[in-house]
Amino acid sequence: MNLRRDVFQAIADPTRRAILLLVAAQAMSAGAIAANFDTARPTVSKHLAILTECELLEQEQNGREIFYHLNPQKMKEIADFIEPFRDLWDDRFNKLESIMKKYKPKK
């Protein structure tokens, strides 16, 4: 059985979310990414492997270095999945807001 990591488990980790924010601006090598964290480089490499396995990051070989960059298509898939929930909660908060505007406290 081929078990893949779940993309939502991958982004549940704060370090991995921070890595995604870093590479969203520009492609970075593993060393450049690791320099932004107070953890051992192998730990950051493990995070990069998980994000790559989930296809949130893509690797690009440039000489001896591998650069990581965001996979916008995969990020869009996540956003598309979350959007109906955002709409649901926006609707609920709008209804609550209209009720609260009508509410008058008893004196």
Side-chain angles (χ1 to χ4, degrees), residues 21-73:
L21 289 172
L22 281 172
V23 299
Q26 66 182 17
M28 299 175 77
S29 67
I33 293 168
N36 289 277
F37 298 95
D38 290 331
T39 58
R41 184 166 173 176
T43 303
V44 173
S45 292
K46 179 70 173 171
H47 288 302
L48 291 171
I50 291 168
L51 291 169
T52 302
E53 184 179 329
C54 292
E55 300 176 352
L56 291 168
L57 292 181
E58 294 177 340
Q59 298 176 337
E60 183 178 334
Q61 186 86 32
N62 188 356
R64 291 183 0 181
E65 289 195 285
I66 296 173
F67 284 84
Y68 294 87
H69 58 91
L70 204 59
N71 178 355
Q73 182 58 39

Short mmCIF file of all heavy atoms in Angstrom, two decimals, residues 21-73:
data_model
loop_
_atom_site.label_atom_id
_atom_site.label_comp_id
_atom_site.label_asym_id
_atom_site.label_seq_id
_atom_site.Cartn_x
_atom_site.Cartn_y
_atom_site.Cartn_z
N LEU A 21 5.85 30.23 3.67
CA LEU A 21 5.87 31.69 3.57
C LEU A 21 7.20 32.19 3.04
O LEU A 21 7.24 33.14 2.24
CB LEU A 21 5.56 32.32 4.93
CG LEU A 21 4.13 32.18 5.42
CD1 LEU A 21 4.00 32.67 6.86
CD2 LEU A 21 3.17 32.95 4.52
N LEU A 22 8.29 31.56 3.47
CA LEU A 22 9.62 31.97 2.99
C LEU A 22 9.76 31.76 1.49
O LEU A 22 10.22 32.65 0.77
CB LEU A 22 10.71 31.17 3.70
CG LEU A 22 11.10 31.59 5.10
CD1 LEU A 22 12.04 30.57 5.71
CD2 LEU A 22 11.75 32.96 5.08
N VAL A 23 9.39 30.59 1.01
CA VAL A 23 9.61 30.29 -0.40
C VAL A 23 8.52 30.88 -1.29
O VAL A 23 8.66 30.86 -2.51
CB VAL A 23 9.78 28.78 -0.67
CG1 VAL A 23 10.98 28.24 0.07
CG2 VAL A 23 8.53 28.02 -0.32
N ALA A 24 7.47 31.41 -0.69
CA ALA A 24 6.43 32.07 -1.49
C ALA A 24 7.01 33.32 -2.17
O ALA A 24 6.62 33.67 -3.28
CB ALA A 24 5.24 32.45 -0.63
N ALA A 25 7.96 33.96 -1.51
CA ALA A 25 8.56 35.18 -2.05
C ALA A 25 9.60 34.88 -3.12
O ALA A 25 9.71 35.60 -4.11
CB ALA A 25 9.18 36.00 -0.92
N GLN A 26 10.39 33.81 -2.90
CA GLN A 26 11.45 33.47 -3.86
C GLN A 26 11.92 32.05 -3.61
O GLN A 26 11.82 31.55 -2.50
CB GLN A 26 12.63 34.42 -3.74
CG GLN A 26 13.38 34.32 -2.42
CD GLN A 26 14.50 35.32 -2.33
OE1 GLN A 26 14.55 36.28 -3.07
NE2 GLN A 26 15.43 35.09 -1.43
N ALA A 27 12.44 31.41 -4.63
CA ALA A 27 13.02 30.07 -4.49
C ALA A 27 14.24 30.18 -3.59
O ALA A 27 14.99 31.15 -3.64
CB ALA A 27 13.40 29.51 -5.85
N MET A 28 14.43 29.17 -2.76
CA MET A 28 15.53 29.18 -1.80
C MET A 28 16.16 27.80 -1.71
O MET A 28 15.48 26.79 -1.89
CB MET A 28 15.04 29.60 -0.41
CG MET A 28 14.43 30.99 -0.34
SD MET A 28 13.77 31.36 1.29
CE MET A 28 15.28 31.71 2.18
N SER A 29 17.44 27.77 -1.39
CA SER A 29 18.12 26.50 -1.14
C SER A 29 17.79 26.03 0.27
O SER A 29 17.32 26.81 1.11
CB SER A 29 19.63 26.67 -1.29
OG SER A 29 20.12 27.50 -0.24
N ALA A 30 18.06 24.76 0.53
CA ALA A 30 17.80 24.21 1.87
C ALA A 30 18.60 24.96 2.93
O ALA A 30 18.09 25.25 4.01
CB ALA A 30 18.13 22.73 1.89
N GLY A 31 19.84 25.30 2.60
CA GLY A 31 20.67 26.04 3.55
C GLY A 31 20.11 27.41 3.87
O GLY A 31 20.12 27.84 5.03
N ALA A 32 19.63 28.10 2.85
CA ALA A 32 19.05 29.43 3.07
C ALA A 32 17.78 29.34 3.89
O ALA A 32 17.51 30.20 4.74
CB ALA A 32 18.78 30.10 1.72
N ILE A 33 17.00 28.31 3.65
CA ILE A 33 15.77 28.11 4.44
C ILE A 33 16.14 27.80 5.88
O ILE A 33 15.60 28.39 6.82
CB ILE A 33 14.91 26.99 3.82
CG1 ILE A 33 14.37 27.42 2.46
CG2 ILE A 33 13.76 26.63 4.75
CD1 ILE A 33 13.75 26.31 1.64
N ALA A 34 17.09 26.87 6.07
CA ALA A 34 17.49 26.46 7.42
C ALA A 34 18.05 27.62 8.23
O ALA A 34 17.90 27.65 9.45
CB ALA A 34 18.51 25.33 7.34
N ALA A 35 18.69 28.59 7.57
CA ALA A 35 19.27 29.73 8.27
C ALA A 35 18.21 30.58 8.97
O ALA A 35 18.54 31.36 9.86
CB ALA A 35 20.06 30.59 7.29
N ASN A 36 16.95 30.40 8.61
CA ASN A 36 15.87 31.17 9.21
C ASN A 36 15.28 30.51 10.46
O ASN A 36 14.35 31.05 11.05
CB ASN A 36 14.75 31.38 8.19
CG ASN A 36 15.15 32.34 7.11
OD1 ASN A 36 15.06 33.54 7.29
ND2 ASN A 36 15.62 31.80 5.99
N PHE A 37 15.82 29.35 10.84
CA PHE A 37 15.26 28.61 11.96
C PHE A 37 16.34 28.25 12.98
O PHE A 37 17.50 28.08 12.62
CB PHE A 37 14.57 27.33 11.45
CG PHE A 37 13.43 27.61 10.53
CD1 PHE A 37 13.62 27.61 9.15
CD2 PHE A 37 12.18 27.91 11.02
CE1 PHE A 37 12.58 27.89 8.29
CE2 PHE A 37 11.12 28.19 10.17
CZ PHE A 37 11.32 28.18 8.79
N ASP A 38 15.92 28.11 14.22
CA ASP A 38 16.84 27.73 15.29
C ASP A 38 16.81 26.22 15.53
O ASP A 38 16.86 25.77 16.67
CB ASP A 38 16.47 28.46 16.60
CG ASP A 38 16.76 29.95 16.53
OD1 ASP A 38 17.69 30.34 15.80
OD2 ASP A 38 16.05 30.71 17.21
N THR A 39 16.70 25.47 14.46
CA THR A 39 16.71 24.01 14.57
C THR A 39 17.84 23.47 13.71
O THR A 39 18.41 24.19 12.88
CB THR A 39 15.37 23.40 14.09
OG1 THR A 39 15.14 23.80 12.73
CG2 THR A 39 14.20 23.87 14.94
N ALA A 40 18.16 22.22 13.91
CA ALA A 40 19.23 21.58 13.14
C ALA A 40 18.82 21.47 11.67
O ALA A 40 17.64 21.32 11.35
CB ALA A 40 19.51 20.20 13.72
N ARG A 41 19.79 21.55 10.81
CA ARG A 41 19.51 21.47 9.37
C ARG A 41 18.80 20.17 8.97
O ARG A 41 17.91 20.20 8.13
CB ARG A 41 20.78 21.67 8.57
CG ARG A 41 20.49 21.70 7.09
CD ARG A 41 21.61 22.23 6.30
NE ARG A 41 21.27 22.05 4.89
CZ ARG A 41 21.99 22.46 3.90
NH1 ARG A 41 23.10 23.09 4.15
NH2 ARG A 41 21.62 22.26 2.68
N PRO A 42 19.16 19.02 9.56
CA PRO A 42 18.42 17.79 9.22
C PRO A 42 16.93 17.89 9.55
O PRO A 42 16.10 17.31 8.85
CB PRO A 42 19.11 16.71 10.05
CG PRO A 42 20.49 17.23 10.26
CD PRO A 42 20.33 18.71 10.40
N THR A 43 16.60 18.63 10.59
CA THR A 43 15.19 18.82 10.94
C THR A 43 14.48 19.61 9.85
O THR A 43 13.37 19.26 9.43
CB THR A 43 15.06 19.55 12.29
OG1 THR A 43 15.75 18.80 13.29
CG2 THR A 43 13.61 19.73 12.70
N VAL A 44 15.12 20.67 9.38
CA VAL A 44 14.54 21.47 8.29
C VAL A 44 14.46 20.62 7.02
O VAL A 44 13.46 20.68 6.29
CB VAL A 44 15.36 22.76 8.06
CG1 VAL A 44 14.87 23.51 6.83
CG2 VAL A 44 15.27 23.67 9.28
N SER A 45 15.47 19.80 6.78
CA SER A 45 15.44 18.92 5.60
C SER A 45 14.26 17.96 5.66
O SER A 45 13.64 17.67 4.63
CB SER A 45 16.75 18.13 5.50
OG SER A 45 17.81 19.01 5.19
N LYS A 46 13.94 17.47 6.84
CA LYS A 46 12.78 16.58 7.00
C LYS A 46 11.49 17.33 6.66
O LYS A 46 10.62 16.81 5.96
CB LYS A 46 12.74 16.04 8.44
CG LYS A 46 11.58 15.15 8.73
CD LYS A 46 11.70 13.82 8.02
CE LYS A 46 10.59 12.89 8.49
NZ LYS A 46 10.52 11.69 7.70
N HIS A 47 11.38 18.57 7.13
CA HIS A 47 10.21 19.39 6.80
C HIS A 47 10.12 19.61 5.28
O HIS A 47 9.03 19.53 4.70
CB HIS A 47 10.27 20.74 7.52
CG HIS A 47 10.01 20.67 8.98
ND1 HIS A 47 8.85 20.16 9.51
CD2 HIS A 47 10.76 21.06 10.04
CE1 HIS A 47 8.89 20.23 10.83
NE2 HIS A 47 10.04 20.79 11.18
N LEU A 48 11.26 19.88 4.66
CA LEU A 48 11.28 20.09 3.20
C LEU A 48 10.86 18.82 2.47
O LEU A 48 10.13 18.88 1.47
CB LEU A 48 12.67 20.53 2.75
CG LEU A 48 13.09 21.93 3.18
CD1 LEU A 48 14.56 22.16 2.85
CD2 LEU A 48 12.22 22.99 2.54
N ALA A 49 11.29 17.66 2.97
CA ALA A 49 10.91 16.39 2.34
C ALA A 49 9.40 16.17 2.43
O ALA A 49 8.77 15.73 1.45
CB ALA A 49 11.67 15.24 3.01
N ILE A 50 8.82 16.50 3.56
CA ILE A 50 7.38 16.34 3.73
C ILE A 50 6.63 17.28 2.79
O ILE A 50 5.68 16.87 2.11
CB ILE A 50 6.98 16.58 5.20
CG1 ILE A 50 7.51 15.44 6.08
CG2 ILE A 50 5.45 16.72 5.35
CD1 ILE A 50 7.42 15.70 7.56
N LEU A 51 7.05 18.53 2.73
CA LEU A 51 6.38 19.51 1.85
C LEU A 51 6.54 19.13 0.38
O LEU A 51 5.62 19.33 -0.42
CB LEU A 51 6.93 20.91 2.12
CG LEU A 51 6.56 21.50 3.48
CD1 LEU A 51 7.37 22.77 3.75
CD2 LEU A 51 5.07 21.78 3.57
N THR A 52 7.68 18.56 0.04
CA THR A 52 7.91 18.12 -1.35
C THR A 52 7.06 16.89 -1.65
O THR A 52 6.46 16.79 -2.73
CB THR A 52 9.40 17.82 -1.57
OG1 THR A 52 10.16 18.99 -1.27
CG2 THR A 52 9.68 17.41 -3.00
N GLU A 53 7.00 15.97 -0.71
CA GLU A 53 6.20 14.76 -0.90
C GLU A 53 4.71 15.10 -1.09
O GLU A 53 4.02 14.45 -1.87
CB GLU A 53 6.36 13.84 0.31
CG GLU A 53 5.64 12.52 0.19
CD GLU A 53 5.86 11.64 1.41
OE1 GLU A 53 6.92 11.73 2.05
OE2 GLU A 53 4.94 10.87 1.72
N CYS A 54 4.25 16.13 -0.41
CA CYS A 54 2.85 16.58 -0.54
C CYS A 54 2.65 17.48 -1.75
O CYS A 54 1.55 17.97 -1.97
CB CYS A 54 2.43 17.32 0.72
SG CYS A 54 2.31 16.29 2.15
N GLU A 55 3.72 17.72 -2.48
CA GLU A 55 3.70 18.54 -3.69
C GLU A 55 3.40 20.01 -3.43
O GLU A 55 3.00 20.74 -4.32
CB GLU A 55 2.72 17.97 -4.73
CG GLU A 55 3.06 16.57 -5.16
CD GLU A 55 2.03 15.98 -6.11
OE1 GLU A 55 0.97 16.58 -6.32
OE2 GLU A 55 2.31 14.89 -6.63
N LEU A 56 3.62 20.46 -2.19
CA LEU A 56 3.47 21.88 -1.89
C LEU A 56 4.71 22.65 -2.34
O LEU A 56 4.64 23.82 -2.66
CB LEU A 56 3.23 22.10 -0.40
CG LEU A 56 1.87 21.60 0.10
CD1 LEU A 56 1.84 21.58 1.61
CD2 LEU A 56 0.76 22.46 -0.47
N LEU A 57 5.85 21.96 -2.32
CA LEU A 57 7.10 22.53 -2.82
C LEU A 57 7.59 21.70 -3.99
O LEU A 57 7.37 20.49 -4.05
CB LEU A 57 8.19 22.52 -1.74
CG LEU A 57 8.01 23.43 -0.54
CD1 LEU A 57 9.21 23.29 0.39
CD2 LEU A 57 7.82 24.87 -0.94
N GLU A 58 8.26 22.37 -4.90
CA GLU A 58 8.91 21.69 -6.02
C GLU A 58 10.41 21.98 -5.93
O GLU A 58 10.81 23.04 -5.45
CB GLU A 58 8.34 22.19 -7.35
CG GLU A 58 6.89 21.82 -7.53
CD GLU A 58 6.29 22.36 -8.81
OE1 GLU A 58 6.84 23.32 -9.38
OE2 GLU A 58 5.26 21.82 -9.23
N GLN A 59 11.20 21.03 -6.39
CA GLN A 59 12.65 21.17 -6.37
C GLN A 59 13.15 21.49 -7.77
O GLN A 59 12.63 20.97 -8.75
CB GLN A 59 13.31 19.88 -5.90
CG GLN A 59 12.95 19.46 -4.52
CD GLN A 59 13.55 18.11 -4.17
OE1 GLN A 59 13.88 17.32 -5.04
NE2 GLN A 59 13.71 17.86 -2.88
N GLU A 60 14.18 22.34 -7.79
CA GLU A 60 14.82 22.67 -9.06
C GLU A 60 16.33 22.65 -8.85
O GLU A 60 16.85 23.38 -8.00
CB GLU A 60 14.36 24.06 -9.52
CG GLU A 60 14.91 24.46 -10.86
CD GLU A 60 14.39 25.83 -11.28
OE1 GLU A 60 13.31 26.23 -10.83
OE2 GLU A 60 15.10 26.49 -12.06
N GLN A 61 17.00 21.81 -9.60
CA GLN A 61 18.46 21.70 -9.51
C GLN A 61 19.09 22.88 -10.24
O GLN A 61 18.75 23.17 -11.37
CB GLN A 61 18.92 20.38 -10.14
CG GLN A 61 20.38 20.09 -9.98
CD GLN A 61 20.69 19.40 -8.67
OE1 GLN A 61 19.88 18.65 -8.16
NE2 GLN A 61 21.86 19.67 -8.14
N ASN A 62 20.01 23.55 -9.56
CA ASN A 62 20.75 24.65 -10.17
C ASN A 62 22.22 24.46 -9.77
O ASN A 62 22.61 24.84 -8.67
CB ASN A 62 20.20 26.00 -9.71
CG ASN A 62 20.81 27.16 -10.47
OD1 ASN A 62 21.69 26.98 -11.29
ND2 ASN A 62 20.32 28.35 -10.19
N GLY A 63 22.97 23.85 -10.65
CA GLY A 63 24.36 23.52 -10.30
C GLY A 63 24.37 22.44 -9.24
O GLY A 63 23.70 21.43 -9.37
N ARG A 64 25.09 22.70 -8.16
CA ARG A 64 25.16 21.72 -7.07
C ARG A 64 24.02 21.88 -6.07
O ARG A 64 23.83 21.02 -5.21
CB ARG A 64 26.48 21.90 -6.32
CG ARG A 64 27.67 21.49 -7.13
CD ARG A 64 28.96 21.59 -6.38
NE ARG A 64 28.79 22.07 -5.00
CZ ARG A 64 29.76 22.27 -4.15
NH1 ARG A 64 30.99 22.05 -4.52
NH2 ARG A 64 29.53 22.70 -2.94
N GLU A 65 23.30 22.98 -6.15
CA GLU A 65 22.25 23.25 -5.16
C GLU A 65 20.87 22.91 -5.70
O GLU A 65 20.61 23.00 -6.90
CB GLU A 65 22.27 24.71 -4.74
CG GLU A 65 23.46 25.07 -3.88
CD GLU A 65 23.28 26.40 -3.19
OE1 GLU A 65 23.41 27.42 -3.89
OE2 GLU A 65 22.97 26.39 -1.99
N ILE A 66 20.02 22.55 -4.76
CA ILE A 66 18.61 22.33 -5.07
C ILE A 66 17.85 23.50 -4.48
O ILE A 66 18.00 23.84 -3.30
CB ILE A 66 18.11 21.01 -4.46
CG1 ILE A 66 18.83 19.83 -5.09
CG2 ILE A 66 16.60 20.88 -4.63
CD1 ILE A 66 18.51 18.50 -4.45
N PHE A 67 17.05 24.14 -5.32
CA PHE A 67 16.22 25.25 -4.86
C PHE A 67 14.78 24.78 -4.73
O PHE A 67 14.29 24.02 -5.56
CB PHE A 67 16.32 26.43 -5.83
CG PHE A 67 17.61 27.19 -5.69
CD1 PHE A 67 18.75 26.76 -6.34
CD2 PHE A 67 17.68 28.32 -4.90
CE1 PHE A 67 19.95 27.44 -6.20
CE2 PHE A 67 18.87 29.01 -4.75
CZ PHE A 67 20.00 28.57 -5.41
N TYR A 68 14.14 25.24 -3.69
CA TYR A 68 12.75 24.90 -3.43
C TYR A 68 11.88 26.10 -3.77
O TYR A 68 12.21 27.23 -3.43
CB TYR A 68 12.56 24.52 -1.96
CG TYR A 68 13.27 23.25 -1.60
CD1 TYR A 68 14.60 23.27 -1.19
CD2 TYR A 68 12.63 22.02 -1.69
CE1 TYR A 68 15.27 22.10 -0.87
CE2 TYR A 68 13.29 20.84 -1.38
CZ TYR A 68 14.61 20.90 -0.97
OH TYR A 68 15.28 19.73 -0.66
N HIS A 69 10.79 25.83 -4.46
CA HIS A 69 9.83 26.90 -4.73
C HIS A 69 8.43 26.36 -4.56
O HIS A 69 8.17 25.16 -4.61
CB HIS A 69 10.06 27.54 -6.12
CG HIS A 69 9.98 26.58 -7.26
ND1 HIS A 69 8.81 26.33 -7.93
CD2 HIS A 69 10.92 25.81 -7.84
CE1 HIS A 69 9.04 25.45 -8.88
NE2 HIS A 69 10.32 25.12 -8.86
N LEU A 70 7.52 27.28 -4.32
CA LEU A 70 6.13 26.96 -4.06
C LEU A 70 5.47 26.39 -5.31
O LEU A 70 5.73 26.85 -6.42
CB LEU A 70 5.41 28.25 -3.64
CG LEU A 70 4.16 28.15 -2.81
CD1 LEU A 70 4.42 27.43 -1.51
CD2 LEU A 70 3.64 29.55 -2.53
N ASN A 71 4.60 25.41 -5.11
CA ASN A 71 3.79 24.86 -6.19
C ASN A 71 2.44 25.57 -6.14
O ASN A 71 1.58 25.20 -5.34
CB ASN A 71 3.62 23.35 -6.03
CG ASN A 71 2.75 22.75 -7.11
OD1 ASN A 71 2.18 23.43 -7.93
ND2 ASN A 71 2.64 21.43 -7.07
N PRO A 72 2.24 26.59 -6.96
CA PRO A 72 1.01 27.38 -6.87
C PRO A 72 -0.25 26.57 -7.18
O PRO A 72 -1.31 26.84 -6.61
CB PRO A 72 1.21 28.51 -7.89
CG PRO A 72 2.31 28.07 -8.77
CD PRO A 72 3.13 27.08 -8.01
N GLN A 73 -0.13 25.56 -8.04
CA GLN A 73 -1.31 24.75 -8.37
C GLN A 73 -1.81 23.99 -7.14
O GLN A 73 -3.00 23.93 -6.89
CB GLN A 73 -0.99 23.78 -9.51
CG GLN A 73 -2.18 22.94 -9.94
CD GLN A 73 -3.38 23.78 -10.39
OE1 GLN A 73 -3.23 24.80 -11.04
NE2 GLN A 73 -4.56 23.34 -10.02
#
